[in-house]
Amino acid sequence: FGYTVKDGQLVPVTQEQLAISMMRRLRGQGKSLRAIARAAQARGHRLSHTAVQRVLVVGPAAPRRPR
């Protein structure tokens, strides 16, 4: 969430980056993961509370290198 892979590189997705900023802001305000997921869903993003946690804690996954 937040990036797409283009030519083997991570490229930011603007709308999803804005959602990530919102999630970080809400978490900083002490909102629960479920409340953040509901806020993201209200803006059209399909995320569960566990997906929100992965976005906030893990960040983007590295693109896989071809073997």
Side-chain angles (χ1 to χ4, degrees):
F1 188 82
Y3 296 87
T4 189
V5 177
K6 193 173 219 176
D7 297 324
Q9 300 292 325
L10 287 178
V11 178
V13 177
T14 304
Q15 290 299 329
E16 293 177 359
Q17 289 295 320
L18 292 172
I20 292 169
S21 294
M22 175 201 65
M23 288 183 230
R24 288 182 178 145
R25 186 179 67 252
L26 292 174
R27 192 63 172 165
Q29 295 172 359
K31 301 293 183 186
S32 70
L33 296 173
R34 289 180 191 274
I36 296 168
R38 282 191 299 271
Q41 291 164 3
R43 289 166 178 80
H45 300 286
R46 295 183 61 181
L47 293 171
S48 66
H49 66 285
T50 56
V52 169
Q53 182 178 29
R54 281 193 306 272
V55 168
L56 294 176
V57 174
V58 177
R64 292 187 177 171
R65 295 178 186 224
R67 292 183 179 206

